[in-house]
Amino acid sequence: MAQKTVPGTSLEGSRPTYMYKVVLLGSMSVGKSSLAYRYVRNDFREFLPTVGCSFFTQTLELEEATVKFEIWDTAGQEKYQSVCHLYYRDAHAALLVYDIASKETLKRAKLWLEDLEKKFLPDEIVIALVGNKTDLAAEREVTTEEGEEFAQTKGLLFLETSAKSNYQVNDIFMAIVQELLRREKEKASAPSPQGRSTVNLSESRARKRCCQL
Ligand code: GDP
Ligand code: MG
């Protein structure tokens, strides 16, 4: 797992700054864009336009660090159960989203997880399973226990959310941050020579170009 510090801005005051790329994965219409929009803009729209592959940024000023999130959203490629490998590249965390009102989307989330497991070692990426649309309680097809159990067997973070009613959206991102920071601490106490180090600007530019694919 990478500790990403931007050269020259790695220290703000006495706290480190970490940059983390988070990717959103899951079937069409489970609410990936809505979760990102709720988290970054604290708002909900019934119809969010799909505008190419794009990312939102969000900065968190925490007691121990400044955290800059790059939250990557898909551009509809999830329809074909495939997103380009550049989308995943250098991701530090993934939100694996399903819709609690659709069992099928949990099945699909399991396939996305298999894909992630092929691309990353377990300690390279923090994965959170997210059961979205809890406001649709009457239409629920996946119990909380089912999601929880699956997450537990796979060692994933787990929360149910509603982008619409703003339920636990912040919490899931906070849980990801806490886990990423915990891993940073762990890594700092046992430094690995192979650990990825600093991010350079040409790399971030290359990532932005991916958006136009
Ligand atoms: P994406 O394809 O995964 O990015 O899904 P979108 O964010 O575009 O959402 C798909 C549809 O589900 C839209 O009509 C949203 O308004 C709706 N939606 C998203 N999140 C929620 C939620 O938490 N509750 C409900 N009831 N609808 C949601
Ligand atoms: Mg979307």
Side-chain angles (χ1 to χ4, degrees):
M1 211 240 339
Q3 169 181 322
K4 293 233 158 175
T5 55
V6 180
T9 61
S10 58
L11 288 175
E12 282 175 11
S14 58
R15 294 171 309 145
T17 295
Y18 298 111
M19 260 184 65
Y20 293 121
K21 174 178 170 180
V22 182
V23 295
L24 290 162
L25 292 171
S27 306
M28 281 281 278
S29 300
V30 292
K32 299 179 298 298
S33 303
S34 301
L35 284 168
Y37 200 72
R38 167 62 77 188
Y39 181 59
V40 174
R41 303 272 161 78
N42 194 19
D43 197 4
F44 179 78
R45 303 268 161 94
E46 285 294 335
F47 300 101
L48 284 174
T50 296
V51 283
C53 134
S54 60
F55 63 80
F56 296 90
T57 56
Q58 178 77 322
T59 302
L60 297 180
E61 299 292 348
L62 304 174
E63 218 169 277
E64 67 268 44
T66 297
V67 171
K68 295 185 178 180
F69 268 143
E70 239 180 38
I71 303 165
W72 285 59
D73 191 14
T74 59
Q77 309 96 311
E78 68 271 41
K79 194 168 163 189
Y80 310 102
Q81 192 77 35
S82 78
V83 292
C84 73
H85 81 280
L86 289 172
Y87 183 78
Y88 289 108
R89 197 175 72 177
D90 293 331
H92 300 94
L95 252 70
L96 210 51
V97 186
Y98 68 93
D99 173 351
I100 61 126
S102 160
K103 228 177 176 47
E104 181 59 29
T105 63
L106 177 60
K107 256 199 228 157
R108 292 288 209 90
K110 294 178 181 178
L111 296 177
W112 286 106
L113 181 63
E114 284 175 18
D115 217 26
L116 276 172
E117 285 172 341
K118 279 183 212 146
K119 292 182 165 69
F120 295 90
L121 294 169
D123 64 344
E124 280 181 332
I125 189 161
V126 172
I127 306 172
L129 182 68
V130 180
N132 189 40
K133 308 197 187 181
T134 54
D135 57 289
L136 300 180
E139 294 159 50
R140 184 187 276 275
E141 285 184 6
V142 182
T143 62
T144 307
E145 293 70 30
E146 194 177 341
E148 209 163 44
E149 233 174 79
F150 176 67
Q152 227 167 42
T153 59
K154 294 290 184 176
L156 316 177
L157 299 172
F158 174 73
L159 268 188
E160 288 189 338
T161 58
S162 168
K164 186 169 186 172
S165 54
N166 195 13
Y167 175 66
Q168 299 200 141
V169 178
N170 266 304
D171 304 55
I172 193 67
F173 283 94
M174 273 316 287
I176 286 172
V177 173
Q178 295 306 339
E179 177 59 17
L180 285 165
L181 293 178
R182 191 191 65 73
R183 292 186 184 193
E184 295 293 358
K185 275 190 205 141
E186 204 173 79
K187 207 176 55 185
S189 58
S192 139
Q194 273 133 17
R196 284 185 279 175
S197 54
T198 55
V199 68
N200 66 42
L201 292 173
S202 61
E203 187 190 9
S204 0
R205 273 197 290 274
R207 283 203 230 135
K208 278 176 196 159
R209 273 204 301 279
C210 152
C211 293
Q212 277 122 43
L213 290 178

